[in-house]
Amino acid sequence: MSELSHYRNIGIFAHVDAGKTTTTERILKLTGKIHKTGEVHDGESTTDFMEQEAERGITIQSAATTCFWKDHRFNIIDTPGHVDFTVEVYRSLKVLDGGVGVFCGSGGVEPQSETNWRYANDSEVARVIFVNKLDRMGADFYRVVKQVKTVLGANPLVMTLPIGIEDDFVGVVDVLEQKAYIWDDTGLPENYVVEDVPADMVDKVAEYREQLIETAVEQDDDLMMAYMDGEEPSIADLKRCIRKGTIALDFFPTLCGSAFKNKGVQNVLDAVVDYLPSPTEVDPQELADEETGEPTGEVALVSVDEPFRALAFKIMDDRFGALTFIRIYSGKLSKGDTILNSFTGKTERVGRMVEMHADDRTELSSAQAGDIIAIVGMKNVKTGHTLCDPKHPCTLEPMIFPEPVISIAVSPKDKGSTEKMGIAIGKMVAEDPTFQVETDEDSGETILKGMGELHLDIKVDILKRTYGVELEVGQPQVAYRETITQPIEDSYTHKKQSGGSGQFGKIDYRIRPGEPGSGFKFTSVVVGGNVPKEFFPAIEKGFKGMMDTGVLAGFPVLDVEVELYDGGFHAVDSSAIAFEIAAKGAFRQSIPKAGPQLIEPIMKVDVFTPDDHVGDVIGDLNRRRGMIKDQEAGVTGVRVKADVPLSEMFGYIGSLRTMTSGRGQFSMEFSHYMPCPMNVAEKVIAETKERNAKK
């Protein structure tokens, strides 16, 4: 077993098309894992082994891979860049210690990179930056570095500079070592020579080197004093400072190259070894309380001598059976051990453990703290569950996933496939926590819910191709919600007398609009025992149970506060059930009086368009009831940021392509809920009632 300090658990994340998967490919090639390099654009890369991935040229699932560089062990997770799959990025970041952010040399910092960067900041993951595709038309390393400062608000520490640009890009200068790495035209990563810095770059390198040293020595007061006295620190000292600052997220070492042309990738690998943290150098995962999910203040120390603790961060189904990817935080695990799933309270015996290399695997007999491995054939384990030593039960801080905002109704084309569809969807839900399924009780339809049109599109595609289930797909439905606009004070009495003991419960309550995003809140200020305490949970349950179906069109109700301030009870006839029924009656009685209102999901939309179509794009977004937030001119076009209701965004990619002759791109993610305008609300309510009447 190798030393923990030689482990690097890293993720590679970026915007679609920044060259993330190609970069991963090159890393695997350089570290001797694959002999023939597959190309994404030929649909042959190693880590994209699902048909849907090869065909669309995007990574959908994050694939975990292990490789070695300079006797350091890398566990690499390739994460998808597409916005509908950011949950994959989020859950990968959860189990990583460091990352490589890849940016396109010509596209720069794109919308998706911002989201991923924000997630990485939230997860406090140290990163190095790789500015890729410098051989492309319109590439400009210095512009991208500036964008990292302005758009991401991050501090890039430039470690390498490009020699030449676009077609003339031949290599990089290592600013710290003051050496030029130049590759020949064969495209082979090992065919490079190390030379002196080209004469025309000497001044530039000196300027960047001075910035680099000044930033680095801020990490060490003694070196800083010596440097101010004119003493230049040694390269080893500088590297130590850069490492410290990178792990503290003070800055991000920034490198450049072209993964496709195999230039500059070695420097990135060296930076991962030199500057990114090992599992022992990051803050250990917090343990949470099993009941409430609140942090307990204890942590899972990264050490082989601690009890076994691991987090299941991904479930994948492949031809060998179900794989559960786990990150082991502490302790060790051997084949045949019995481990506890603290979420379900059940224990399981570990059969086969494998180390993954995209879709190839090596059997393992044991694994230890710091490892990322897959266990074959675990039952009932879902993403975010904690696996631990049965003698030391614990819960690692759980993951929180966003709620789906869009749904479609599907039914199998032939009656025989119903069961097949059920099994397939079951597997898919286990793999992707943002993909949800429910059955509409009235109509018996199966409703799929997800994060966006593309997300559901791909799910339907996987059902068809991987599982052979042909589906009839209904119109996409927006996840509308209801809320209230004015406070109300009211009283409700439930009484029923029919021989023997009756039922009695009286409640006096105030209902008021809550803060946006607060959901449902119940408080009680009853004094003097007019309503005995033991009935409070029943009253809360009664109100809460009614929140699922609003009074306007039956959509779930959000952001409501209920305060119980008085009431009455009967020594014999009052029971929990009587008060629960009273609360349900109260909801039906009072919500219609509290100014009920339909609210709709608003998406944060980021559109990229060539200059000559900006007017059309903005006009179109306005027609879609969009609020334009920001416009930013780039080199190749303009980025327009807007908030637009989801209901107006269906099929947007088609009209955007038409407007911009195929050159526009956009991404969107859920932002918040907002009230629907009257005319829209009336239409939605009428349509919903009509749909329900048909059922």
Side-chain angles (χ1 to χ4, degrees), residues 49-99:
F49 50 86
M50 291 165 58
E51 281 178 41
Q52 287 79 6
E53 299 187 297
E55 186 166 297
R56 296 172 191 243
I58 58 177
T59 309
I60 299 167
Q61 293 182 309
S62 39
T65 299
T66 303
C67 57
F68 292 87
W69 180 254
K70 298 196 172 165
D71 80 4
H72 281 64
R73 174 197 181 103
F74 288 9
N75 292 321
I76 299 179
I77 293 187
D78 180 26
T79 59
H82 204 287
V83 66
D84 284 352
F85 309 106
T86 40
V87 54
E88 289 273 350
V89 179
Y90 164 73
R91 74 173 166 203
S92 305
L93 281 167
K94 201 67 194 154
V95 297
L96 295 173
D97 307 320

Side-chain angles (χ1 to χ4, degrees), residues 216-238:
V217 293
E218 283 174 13
Q219 300 291 327
D220 182 319
D221 292 346
D222 296 343
L223 286 181
M224 192 161 159
M225 297 311 290
Y227 179 63
M228 287 169 108
D229 293 340
E231 200 181 308
E232 183 170 305
S234 69
I235 284 186
D237 276 340
L238 285 170

